[in-house]
Amino acid sequence: MIFNAFRLYDTHGLPLSVTLWAAREHGIPVSLPAFYRDALRAGWKSSKTRSLVEEVLADAGEPRAYIDAALTYLDTVESDTAVPGEEPHP
């Protein structure tokens, strides 16, 4: 099961960076494509979501090449994208 980070961010305002840190500490997978997709479903502009994801990855110390690859992949995610390992929404 993949943790729904967007729900925590959107409902409770918990920063994505905190969610990723806590999930990593407890061995819980978090999907950035699912976060991005759910943000699109909520009506966010893709540029806002890209900026947030880029900031979180940079703050986590990820190499620039990894950040660029992640953002390129996110460009392929749409509001109806299925994420591997994620349970379907009811």
Side-chain angles (χ1 to χ4, degrees), residues 1-84:
M1 184 172 120
I2 294 177
F3 189 73
N4 189 329
F6 183 74
R7 184 174 299 152
L8 281 177
Y9 184 86
D10 192 45
T11 305
H12 304 290
L14 189 66
L16 179 59
S17 57
V18 173
T19 301
L20 292 174
W21 172 81
R24 185 176 296 137
E25 288 291 311
H26 295 283
I28 300 169
V30 174
S31 171
L32 288 177
F35 181 92
Y36 190 78
R37 186 224 31 234
D38 291 347
L40 293 176
R41 284 182 180 168
W44 285 23
K45 300 275 188 231
S46 61
S47 59
K48 175 183 176 182
T49 309
R50 281 176 56 91
S51 295
L52 176 65
V53 169
E54 183 174 15
E55 179 182 324
V56 166
L57 292 176
D59 287 349
E62 297 292 351
R64 186 72 231 175
Y66 175 81
I67 294 170
D68 291 341
L71 294 175
T72 298
Y73 174 73
L74 289 179
D75 287 338
T76 69
V77 174
E78 296 181 14
S79 63
D80 61 349
T81 299
V83 175

